Amino acid sequence: MPKISACIVAYCDYEEVCAAVRSILQHTPAPDFALYVVDNGSPDGCGQRLAETDFGDARVIVLPLAQNLGFGKGHNAVIPRLDSAVHFILNPDILLTEDVLEPMADWLLARKGAATATPQLRYPDGRLQHLPRRKPTPWLLLARQLAPRFSGCFAKADDHYTMQDEDLSAPRRIEFCTGSFMAVRTDVFKEIGGFDPAYFMYVEDADLTQKVLQKGTVWLAPQFSAIHAWHRAPMRDAGKFKMQLVSMGRYFKKWGCGKGKV
């Protein structure tokens, strides 16, 4: 099996982070596995608590940061430490229920030209999450926000954006790999410099996917699965929604507004 590493970037919610860490350790037997937990300057003391927590496993490395650098910079903080073949980018609301990381890394490296992959994610109640997506366009992102409130063309466009009009039961190439759970070849992650530090939060995973696509292919691997709580509600938080708009503007300025190939 290839050597693997993973990183969780935490911001508050100590109990949730601990649950994610313990599930990953429980279902990842590799003795040389490294799990980095980066605390992004949590104001509630989460970082200090994590640093003082005995997980009973030397494979956990806690890195408390002095301030909140944002999602991408938090993940980039571990790049100089990585000596793995495949690195996993994981949200703190991910729970593993079986041995996924090593088999998924092995699958990724065995597929010629593949650089990144994401598994099938589900809500805690078992419902499917529609996270594989086509390359964003302004219209598709607008439809994504309006679809829950309106039907018709918005819902149809959102179904197209989240590839619900495609067969996702077998491995296939995608154009937008979610940052909630991403396996990336470590050499590629290092070569592209990780996440673009200009993004504080939102759309940085779409940007990273576009950078990865310049080096190889990106895949949905639905034969692997995990639980994802998915805490996200930008339309109900004015500050987060504004941040999302800023990130979207940065993304389209950098990559253009054209459609992808999937």
Side-chain angles (χ1 to χ4, degrees):
M1 286 288 185
K3 186 173 183 179
I4 58 174
S5 58
C7 180
I8 295 173
V9 171
Y11 185 75
C12 302
D13 210 336
Y14 168 81
E15 296 297 338
E16 181 176 69
V17 177
C18 287
V21 169
R22 291 189 174 104
S23 80
I24 294 165
L25 295 175
Q26 178 184 353
H27 296 289
T28 309
D32 58 353
F33 171 56
L35 174 57
Y36 298 95
V37 182
V38 177
D39 181 77
N40 240 340
S42 296
D44 66 351
C46 177
Q48 182 177 350
R49 292 181 69 188
L50 288 169
E52 295 172 351
T53 298
D54 182 8
F55 290 103
D57 197 317
R59 297 178 298 170
V60 181
I61 303 98
V62 179
L63 302 174
L65 301 180
Q67 59 182 325
N68 187 356
L69 301 180
F71 180 85
K73 280 188 177 181
H75 277 287
N76 289 352
V78 306
I79 290 178
R81 298 170 175 260
L82 300 180
D83 62 353
S84 54
V86 175
H87 181 63
F88 288 84
I89 295 162
L90 304 173
N91 267 14
D93 56 358
I94 288 289
L95 291 174
L96 300 189
T97 58
E98 59 184 349
D99 183 1
V100 168
L101 301 189
E102 278 192 294
M104 190 171 172
D106 196 43
W107 180 88
L108 178 67
L109 294 175
R111 187 167 291 268
K112 185 178 180 179
T116 297
T118 189
Q120 178 60 69
L121 298 178
R122 295 182 179 274
Y123 290 100
D125 63 6
R127 288 179 296 129
L128 196 69
Q129 291 185 4
H130 303 295
L131 285 173
R133 300 174 190 174
R134 290 183 164 86
K135 184 179 179 181
T137 67
W139 162 241
L140 290 177
L141 287 180
L142 175 64
R144 179 70 176 161
Q145 295 297 335
L146 297 178
R149 301 188 180 192
F150 304 97
S151 56
C153 63
F154 297 116
K156 185 176 181 180
D158 186 48
D159 286 350
H160 177 72
Y161 178 43
T162 55
M163 302 181 71
Q164 294 183 59
D165 52 1
E166 297 278 354
D167 178 12
L168 301 180
S169 62
R172 62 158 299 154
R173 291 174 61 172
I174 57 176
E175 295 176 322
F176 185 159
C177 188
T178 174
S180 304
F181 194 131
M182 178 187 295
V184 58
R185 277 177 37 202
T186 306
D187 60 342
V188 171
F189 191 54
K190 287 186 172 185
E191 185 178 354
I192 64 177
F195 287 93
D196 184 337
Y199 296 87
F200 184 79
M201 188 166 65
Y202 299 120
V203 198
E204 65 278 283
D205 49 358
D207 180 272
L208 184 73
T209 304
Q210 294 309 307
K211 292 202 295 180
V212 169
L213 283 169
Q214 296 178 332
K215 305 296 180 181
T217 53
V218 176
W219 291 79
L220 167 68
Q223 68 271 38
F224 306 106
S225 65
I227 296 172
H228 177 216
W230 204 358
H231 306 309
R232 186 177 183 184
M235 287 295 286
R236 294 192 291 273
D237 186 311
K240 289 182 179 180
F241 183 55
K242 180 179 179 181
M243 190 182 301
Q244 188 180 52
L245 291 177
V246 171
S247 291
M248 287 164 55
R250 179 171 287 112
Y251 174 87
F252 291 123
K253 183 178 180 180
K254 183 176 180 179
W255 298 106
C257 301
K259 296 180 180 180
K261 299 178 181 179
V262 173

